[in-house]
Amino acid sequence: QVQLVESGGGLVQAGGSLRLSCAASGRTLSSYNMGWFRQALGKEREFVASIVWSPGYTYYSDSVKGRFTISRDNAKNTGYLQMNSLKPEDTAVYYCAARDRTQNNYNYWGQGTQVTVSS
């Protein structure tokens, strides 16, 4: 079992930055993929970014490419999502998730953290 706890959300003005953290416990994530997803009010959850924990390959949705950076700290077993040049449309609850690389679906999810970007 993997437990995930997000932190770092909050209220920021448009153009600002936030860094989300996702601390994992229960297992080391060396054989996992970690993803960030978001769900805005009244909308479906959407993919934001993911990282293959080892060797660190990253993937981004077109809407955040060039503004967001996903990374991980092996020693802390923690993933991060650095969000720059934030826009009001980035407002959502952000979730981190993990899946064993042998699985197709993310099966471990955090509780979510709210990000609100004011215009």
Side-chain angles (χ1 to χ4, degrees), residues 41-96:
L41 194 62
K43 296 187 177 181
E44 293 187 355
R45 184 169 60 196
E46 65 173 354
F47 168 80
V48 174
S50 66
I51 185 166
V52 179
W53 199 264
S54 178
Y57 297 140
T58 58
Y59 305 89
Y60 298 92
S61 68
D62 288 342
S63 62
V64 307
K65 197 174 296 182
R67 299 188 297 122
F68 291 10
T69 302
I70 189 171
S71 63
R72 84 275 191 255
D73 184 323
N74 289 332
K76 295 182 179 179
N77 212 32
T78 297
Y80 302 97
L81 185 68
Q82 177 67 43
M83 306 185 295
N84 299 329
S85 302
L86 283 160
K87 306 174 181 179
E89 52 264 43
D90 294 317
T91 295
V93 177
Y94 283 71
Y95 299 90
C96 69

Side-chain angles (χ1 to χ4, degrees), residues 27-41:
R27 291 184 181 175
T28 60
L29 296 183
S30 58
S31 62
Y32 284 74
N33 290 6
M34 174 175 278
W36 286 93
F37 296 77
R38 66 187 182 187
Q39 187 167 19
L41 194 62

